[in-house]
Amino acid sequence: MALTDLLRLLVLAYEYFATKILPRWRRLATGSIRPAGWLQTQMQLQASALTSHLPLFWDNVCSSGWQMLKSSGYGGPGAEHFMARRQRGSLDVSVLEDNVGGIHESTPYWLNGAVPLALQLQDEDLLQTVDKYIEGILDRQTQEGWLGPDTDKTDFWSRYPFLMAMVQYHEALPGGPRRKRIEEAALSFFSAMRRRLEGGVPLTVWSSFRTHDLIWTIHYFLDVLQESAEPSVLRDLAAFAALLHSQGFDWTGLWYNASSFAKEAVVNTSMQTHGVNNAQAVKSGVVWSRQSGNAPAGWAETWLAWEQLQRYHGQPNGAFSADEHLAGRMPSRGTELCVVVESMWSLALASQLAPGDEEAVLALDALESLAFNALPGSLSEDLWSHPYLQFANSYEAVSNEPDHIWGHDGGQSAMYGLAPNYECCTSNFHQGYPKFAGSLFFEDLGQQQLISAVWAPSVVNATVGRAHVELRTSYPFNSSVEYWIRNDEPFTLKVRIPKFLRTSTSTRFVRVDGHTVKAEETAGFLHLSIPAAAERLAVKIDFVLAPSVQRSEAQGVSVYFGPLLLALDLNEQWQLVQRYAFNAADWNTTAALTWRLAMPHSPRLGTPRLSMPGPRPMASSDCPVALEATLLAVPPSAWPIQHGAPGPVNGTCRAGEQVQRTLLAYGCTSIRISALPVAEEEPLIV
């Protein structure tokens, strides 16, 4: 490293230490926000399915290299499983070491979701399991400070999600020796990694392209250690973060702001065309802005990244297409499940670290769309299976498709199963709902504001106002939200208004304890003053939900109901392909109803049918939102199949007789048509 570069890093480190730059909004400690209503039901389904069962049977978690003792034996929760396999002679060392593609990410990925899920649900069994994993991994930290398997000296990346899990675990602990132990383990690891980098071990591939995940954890420990650590420790941490930033991939300069950025489906692939890398890169600008001190510039980088991805690869479900690599705007191209959950986390951080409300509300709009559409659209209704890729338009999801439209993944990528195509999503999807729940509220301590960022049923214990707030709603499946508030001190409740309600024609009513009040919207937020010592103060917001139609030159027509994308009900048929342990299985899913339908030039939509979410909130047979629509049949010649998938929907097509069909919430479907072609005004005579 050149002397000038080193001096610049030291200056940046000093600036951080001297100014103690804090985010505008504060994340509440993991567990302070608890899910309620349908969200709690959905997260309990997840906890009782794969999240709690992977440590019991799935080798990548139950026989992981993260649980190996230094010299002999095995010390993790799956010890009996391990010993039985060793006695049978069926133990594969490459599996034992969780060595998939040369990296050891499965257990850290799983912990990054299992930790917040256990804390938010207060699930005692899951809490005991994650306790054993984390304490066991810390027990096996080397004298050097290294955490986890060390089969490849350049595999820094696998530590990043584990450290994020440790942050969430640390947040929930009271002061004491366990909390102190995590701080010491993190500092020891940071020192070990820095020594390797300075000793010539390069920051390569995944570790370089995902650097800001680690920088975020460094900043967390800088914050919590401000009052207890020596100044030299803080300076070293800030200098280490600066070193990582300097060696990591320059996403803005070399990709998002460059002429080489992919503006259509990628053929020639690279690390910067990789979908999950892009989803994680979205946060890089705002994360680094904490240390650079330039929040507007950091936001500009983050939002440029998201806008580029949406403009050239955006899908109706709020995600961007990436069937391993960026794949353009055709609705039949896929999106990896990891892309969805990593995008959600990046957007949550973008909202928290944004320079102002005008910026934060944009990130929250995007987060809401992913959470209510793309995330449930990537998971089976019982949360025991998932596809590697989801599609805005598809009529089947079956195993071993030899002729498939996606460009860079295998034939099992569309199938719902335990670990279709590749193992990463099986371990990484667990963070989706818990981190979303943890982002429903933020705090602004300086302004004494509690920010209600996204509506979903939940309960929060806040620092501001010493408030206990219950958000009672079935949103996005109903048209009202109600805050029940108990607090000791006055504070401001700052409520984000969803994008579909921030229009001149939208209608909403705000009542405080039954009395209508006038609440002005500023930069997408309502501000409500909550007096001191309120007991069961009720703030209710009623609004109108109505279907809307959005047209796109590349993606035809999509129907929305509030924030929900609607999709054609295909009467899905599920056929078992292979069963694993417990309820884990692979499935073929096919359509029993025709999918070739077009939207009339003048859409004819019925009145939505709303119901309370049931024991499986995203079940297609019990979907909380259904809408009848008059559509037009399309002959195969007008909408042909392309490599086993619906062809493009851009432009208009000839159509025939009218057909009455049902549209469901996108998240309640596993295969679906959510982007329809527009019928020409003159009907086709058949």
Side-chain angles (χ1 to χ4, degrees):
M1 179 183 299
L3 179 59
T4 54
D5 291 334
L6 180 59
L7 289 173
R8 181 172 58 84
L9 293 180
L10 291 174
V11 167
L12 287 171
Y14 175 77
E15 287 176 351
Y16 183 96
F17 171 70
T19 59
K20 299 182 178 65
I21 300 165
L22 295 175
R24 191 173 66 98
W25 291 351
R26 173 179 174 266
R27 289 180 62 250
L28 285 93
T30 302
S32 298
I33 306 169
R34 305 278 177 84
W38 72 261
L39 182 57
Q40 181 184 39
T41 301
Q42 186 78 346
M43 292 173 65
Q44 287 172 335
L45 281 173
Q46 177 181 322
S48 65
L50 286 179
T51 304
S52 63
H53 284 85
L54 288 183
L56 302 178
F57 79 96
W58 195 53
D59 287 333
N60 289 49
V61 173
C62 75
S63 299
S64 163
W66 283 83
Q67 298 166 287
M68 288 291 293
L69 293 175
K70 295 176 187 175
S71 56
S72 64
Y74 176 77
E80 293 180 1
H81 171 86
F82 166 82
M83 292 301 295
R85 292 182 63 221
R86 187 169 72 173
Q87 290 169 3
R88 292 196 307 267
S90 62
L91 186 63
D92 183 340
V93 174
S94 66
V95 172
L96 171 66
E97 293 183 344
D98 184 23
N99 192 344
V100 180
I103 53 180
H104 302 269
E105 65 186 9
S106 292
T107 295
Y109 265 159
W110 171 76
L111 281 169
N112 191 29
V115 167
L117 183 65
L119 290 166
Q120 290 162 349
L121 294 178
Q122 284 298 290
D123 184 314
E124 290 299 327
D125 291 338
L126 190 54
L127 279 169
Q128 289 180 16
T129 300
V130 298
D131 282 348
K132 289 178 181 178
Y133 268 83
I134 289 180
E135 296 298 331
I137 290 168
L138 296 182
D139 285 344
R140 292 181 287 279
Q141 187 171 23
T142 68
Q143 289 187 347
E144 178 201 10
W146 201 251
L147 289 164
D150 198 11
T151 57
D152 181 347
K153 299 297 182 184
T154 66
D155 179 21
F156 301 117
W157 149 245
S158 297
R159 320 309 119 171
Y160 300 0
F162 175 69
L163 286 160
M164 285 191 281
M166 283 223 299
V167 164
Q168 296 167 94
Y169 190 75
H170 180 270
E171 286 179 325
L173 291 173
R178 295 178 70 198
R179 187 175 169 95
K180 184 70 174 175
R181 186 187 190 197
I182 290 177
E183 295 166 6
E184 292 173 349
L187 290 175
S188 181
F189 172 76
F190 294 149
S191 295
M193 181 172 171
R194 183 175 180 179
R195 285 193 298 272
R196 289 194 184 187
L197 291 174
E198 292 175 343
V201 179
L203 197 65
T204 60
V205 291
W206 310 111
S207 302
S208 170
F209 284 82
R210 302 175 178 184
T211 304
H212 289 80
D213 282 26
L214 183 58
I215 292 174
W216 179 80
T217 66
I218 294 170
H219 287 172
Y220 171 82
F221 285 105
L222 268 166
D223 290 341
V224 300
L225 294 171
Q226 283 291 332
E227 303 302 324
S228 60
E230 293 293 326
S232 60
V233 173
L234 302 178
R235 283 195 296 268
D236 286 347
L237 279 178
F240 179 43
L243 176 66
L244 290 169
H245 178 71
S246 71
Q247 292 192 8
F249 182 71
D250 179 5
W251 280 99
T252 300
L254 298 178
W255 188 235
Y256 296 119
N257 205 25
S259 59
S260 59
F261 179 79
K263 296 179 175 61
E264 55 188 19
V266 168
V267 176
N268 299 315
T269 64
S270 64
M271 291 298 289
Q272 57 262 42
T273 66
H274 187 265
V276 182
N277 284 348
N278 277 270
Q280 292 179 244
V282 168
K283 72 172 77 69
S284 61
V286 291
V287 166
W288 183 244
S289 71
R290 288 206 57 198
Q291 192 154 338
S292 72
N294 192 339
W299 167 263
E301 292 184 6
T302 281
W303 205 243
L304 171 67
W306 188 250
E307 284 189 323
Q308 290 280 70
L309 292 167
Q310 287 296 310
R311 172 190 253 181
Y312 297 109
H313 308 281
Q315 292 291 314
N317 56 26
F320 59 88
S321 71
D323 39 29
E324 205 64 31
H325 294 269
L326 299 177
R329 300 199 65 204
M330 184 178 175
S332 297
R333 293 298 294 262
T335 298
E336 183 184 336
L337 175 50
C338 284
V339 167
V340 175
V341 296
E342 294 292 356
S343 294
M344 289 175 63
W345 178 230
S346 287
L347 290 164
L349 290 180
S351 67
Q352 180 212 356
L353 300 171
D357 289 349
E358 297 87 349
E359 295 82 10
V361 77
L362 298 175
L364 293 170
D365 290 342
L367 173 61
E368 178 180 71
S369 181
L370 289 170
F372 294 152
N373 298 300
L375 178 59
S378 301
L379 303 167
S380 65
E381 65 185 50
D382 62 1
L383 284 97
W384 275 98
S385 64
H386 65 274
Y388 189 74
L389 302 175
Q390 68 166 301
F391 307 85
N393 279 359
S394 65
Y395 55 79
E396 65 181 12
V398 299
S399 61
N400 299 315
E401 295 192 47
D403 182 28
H404 48 73
I405 196 166
W406 55 88
H408 307 285
D409 290 312
Q412 290 192 326
S413 298
M415 174 187 70
Y416 279 74
L418 171 62
N421 188 61
Y422 196 73
E423 294 92 339
C424 57
C425 296
T426 306
S427 50
N428 194 25
F429 86 84
H430 308 269
Q431 67 169 301
Y433 279 115
K435 288 189 178 180
F436 171 63
S439 303
L440 296 177
F441 290 88
F442 296 97
E443 292 182 320
D444 185 333
L445 298 181
Q447 300 295 320
Q448 283 296 291
Q449 294 176 340
L450 178 64
I451 296 97
S452 178
V454 180
W455 287 336
S458 51
V459 179
V460 58
N461 290 307
T463 303
V464 297
R466 296 173 61 189
H468 174 86
V469 179
E470 298 177 40
L471 177 48
R472 300 181 179 184
T473 183
S474 293
Y475 183 85
F477 307 115
N478 75 341
S479 58
S480 70
V481 296
E482 195 164 354
Y483 298 86
W484 285 79
I485 302 169
R486 294 198 309 269
N487 64 300
D488 294 334
E489 300 168 359
F491 72 97
T492 298
L493 179 63
K494 182 171 165 179
V495 180
R496 169 189 157 267
I497 299 301
K499 183 178 180 179
F500 73 93
L501 288 176
R502 298 197 308 270
T503 66
S504 58
T505 58
S506 65
T507 302
R508 60 177 180 267
F509 305 94
V510 181
R511 296 178 177 87
V512 177
D513 274 349
H515 301 288
T516 301
V517 299
K518 185 177 182 180
E520 295 293 334
E521 177 189 320
T522 304
F525 291 87
L526 298 181
H527 296 250
L528 299 163
S529 296
I530 308 301
E535 294 186 11
R536 307 296 290 179
L537 178 72
V539 175
K540 187 176 184 183
I541 303 174
D542 293 293
F543 48 90
V544 175
L545 277 171
S548 63
V549 174
Q550 295 186 16
R551 301 174 185 267
S552 164
E553 182 177 343
Q555 297 173 332
V557 171
S558 292
V559 180
Y560 292 83
F561 183 66
L564 295 174
L565 173 64
L566 302 185
L568 193 62
D569 178 12
L570 299 180
N571 190 15
E572 301 165 4
Q573 306 296 303
W574 288 62
Q575 180 181 10
L576 179 66
V577 175
Q578 181 176 350
R579 188 170 294 283
Y580 302 95
F582 305 101
N583 292 325
D586 294 342
W587 302 88
N588 282 341
T589 310
T590 55
L593 295 175
T594 182
W595 57 269
R596 283 190 177 94
L597 297 169
M599 181 68 70
H601 194 76
S602 298
R604 283 167 282 185
L605 306 175
T607 301
R609 300 193 306 272
L610 304 183
S611 59
M612 291 294 293
R616 292 185 178 181
M618 301 299 172
S620 61
S621 61
D622 191 23
C623 184
V625 175
L627 174 69
E628 300 302 316
T630 301
L631 304 175
L632 300 175
V634 177
S637 59
W639 192 2
I641 290 173
Q642 188 174 106
H643 297 291
V649 296
N650 52 314
T652 59
C653 69
R654 301 295 299 278
E657 71 274 11
Q658 294 183 0
V659 180
Q660 295 296 122
R661 288 288 292 274
T662 302
L663 303 178
L664 303 176
Y666 179 95
C668 293
T669 64
S670 301
I671 54 175
R672 78 282 286 183
I673 301 295
S674 63
L676 291 85
V678 179
E680 293 179 353
E681 292 193 56
E682 181 182 351
L684 176 68
I685 306 300
V686 293

